[in-house]
Amino acid sequence: MTGTVRLPRITFWRTVFWFIMAAAVYATYVRFVDGLGSSTNLSDEFPWGIWIGFDVLCGVALAAGGFTLAATVHIFNIEKYKPIVRPAILTAFLGYLLVVVALMFDLGRPYRIWHPLIMWNPHSVMFEVGWCVTLYSTVLSLEFAPVVFERFGWRTPLRYVKAIMIPLVIAGVILSTLHQSSLGTLYLILPTKLHALWYSPMLPVMFFVSAIALGLAMTIFESWHSSRAFGRHLELPLLSSLGRVLAVLMLFYLCLRFLDLGKRGVLNLLTVGSIETYLFGLEIALLLTPTFLLFWPRVRQSPLALYLSAVMVVLGMIVNRLNVSITGMERGSGVSYIPAWTEVAVTLGIIAAGFAIFRLAVQHLPIFEEEEKDEPVSAPVYQMAGALGD
Amino acid sequence: MARAILFDSTQCVGCKACEEACATKWGNPYDEKVAAEERVSSHKLTAVRTFGEHYSRKLCMHCLEPSCASVCPVGALEKTALGPVVYDESKCMGCRYCMVACPFQVPSYEWDSRLPRVKKCDGCFERQSKGQPTACTEACPTGATICGDREELIAEARKRIAENPGQYYNHIYGLEEVGGTSVLMLSAVPFEQIGMPGGLPKDALPERTWAVLSHIPDVAGLGAVLLGGVYWITHRRDEVAKAERAEASKEKENVR
């Protein structure tokens, strides 16, 4: 002990992080003091921007790994995936919390965010999404609770939560199925506004299938990053087999997309040189390339290739959600929308906060540690509890 | 008896008396600058728009099955039996889905307010429920805007087209658009040429989302049964395997 305070090292990413956070704090001030008009480029013609299109639509979809892996391990009993359930649930839990934060920015009167819970309108997709997200966030907090209980050695609550884990996971899967698809249903009422390349009666199904694929891709993505950041061993065989499932799922999703385009007779739109066609091309290229790559065993065996394929899936799905919610809506709305710096700053701030909280959680909670098999509490804690009891 | 408004573009002279009456009713500022704005906004709930020698009005169409009321998660927007679609600002949390969903792009938002509200024409619900005409109808000097029973107004519109076929484009806008609206329009030229969205489907748009939403109880019920079943099967397999192993080891001991 020298008594000197050790200052945190200044690294490139830390500098970026604090720069983003400073911008986000100022943007937050502008948003809540001057209102939505000063802080966004939204208008009567274009009332939803990136806070809905990216933060909410992409945020919810990126968090889909939670219910996918919880179901795989707890319901389908495929035990080998157990080591990656906790990081997936942490991502999901964080994801939903951040979606709610983003909503607080976007809602005109955020203090009324609870209104849908008591003022019902069952005909509204938004009402259903509101309920599902509220309930699923509660489910996620309970699915995540064992991690915290284990950390502090709270055995009784741990026993209670574990006793209801299966019904919880089942509820989580159903709630996720409902609202992941409902985010697509949101756009079904806009046949005249959403571009024909994306408007489809199949939107709910496509949003659901793509969310599962995205959840798997995110699991590969975060495992790779965690293994680098924390010097952990990478569960490569596990992630490779996840990559194979992802490839099959992506192929199914892409077939669905093109069959739908063919059935609706809008494939000829692809020959028109419009901005929508190019964005559609970008989206499909980002989704098709990793699908082919992942069918190739050598790609799945290489950590870097597997990671890059997952990144492409993530980017492709983000482009898809943005096409549905923003770029595909511009022509039908008759205006063009480019987010204000304040909108971008808040979004980046939320992403940066997500990374930072994930890192903190992994450092301080048993996220990547092997879950105890039979004894709910690890031996040292057990002994400590015994010593305290005496 | 459902009330409606009939706007006959061929009789409109663009005097904007309806705009001023509407502003007065809502307590909105109205001067030359506002009069020059040819779009609806949070301080101007109806606008007279100029298209060459034709004028048209923009106002809430008061759909028979309004998208805005259907999508509102808190039921702040409501289609009244009288006809107008009304807004209850005390419920609204500001998600703005109504603005996204409106096929006519009518609802406006108080973007510059710290506690913003949605603003749109309420069809003078209070006046009409007392049997009075809407403020815009009362102000119209030429009779281009009239209000009354929807069926009677449809009959009147048909009569006008039949009696002066050369004067009208043969279509009553709002009769079938998105399932019908409580604002009907007549025009000398195709409606796209006076700023009305063309090619709207004839089905009520809320039916498209309800077709999916109404399956939620099925998905939830079926999902619970399926997942419960899968859980039972996959874990039963484990139990059986465990029991068989125990049996096998017991037999081994017996053999010894």
Side-chain angles (χ1 to χ4, degrees), chain B residues 69-238:
Chain B
S70 150
V71 301
C72 180
V74 294
L77 289 149
E78 186 198 343
K79 174 77 178 173
T80 58
L82 187 68
V85 176
V86 295
Y87 169 70
D88 176 356
E89 64 178 62
S90 71
K91 289 181 174 176
C92 177
M93 61 176 183
C95 73
R96 310 187 296 282
Y97 193 13
C98 52
M99 303 171 63
V100 177
C102 176
F104 301 102
Q105 218 148 60
V106 163
S108 303
Y109 208 53
E110 295 179 319
W111 294 103
D112 295 323
S113 163
R114 215 175 282 179
L115 294 175
R117 294 167 296 183
V118 168
K119 296 295 257 182
K120 72 167 205 66
C121 157
D122 70 348
C124 287
F125 176 73
E126 285 201 5
R127 292 174 60 104
Q128 290 215 75
S129 48
K130 284 185 271 182
Q132 296 169 342
T134 65
C136 54
T137 302
E138 199 174 68
C140 183
T142 64
T145 298
I146 56 174
C147 65
D149 177 64
R150 186 168 185 270
E151 294 307 315
E152 285 169 19
L153 289 179
I154 292 171
E156 170 66 22
R158 287 207 171 109
K159 201 177 101 196
R160 288 188 196 179
I161 294 177
E163 283 174 3
N164 301 292
Q167 198 183 324
Y168 289 102
Y169 174 69
N170 187 12
H171 181 73
I172 304 172
Y173 196 92
L175 187 62
E176 288 181 318
E177 274 76 9
V178 292
T181 60
S182 294
V183 172
L184 305 162
M185 292 192 180
L186 289 175
S187 165
V189 292
F191 285 90
E192 289 92 329
Q193 292 177 25
I194 58 164
M196 298 307 294
L200 290 182
K202 287 181 180 175
D203 57 318
L205 301 179
E207 282 165 16
R208 301 192 183 205
T209 39
W210 183 241
V212 177
L213 280 179
S214 55
H215 288 303
I216 284 178
D218 309 344
V219 172
L222 203 69
V225 172
L226 265 178
L227 291 168
V230 169
Y231 173 80
W232 188 78
I233 292 170
T234 54
H235 288 76
R236 178 77 190 153
R237 223 183 270 152
D238 274 7

Side-chain angles (χ1 to χ4, degrees), chain A residues 314-337:
Chain A
V314 171
L315 290 178
M317 292 301 184
I318 289 176
V319 173
N320 169 257
R321 295 305 195 260
L322 292 179
N323 277 338
V324 170
S325 60
I326 293 173
T327 37
M329 294 275 289
E330 287 181 279
R331 192 182 297 269
S333 307
V335 289
S336 72
Y337 159 83

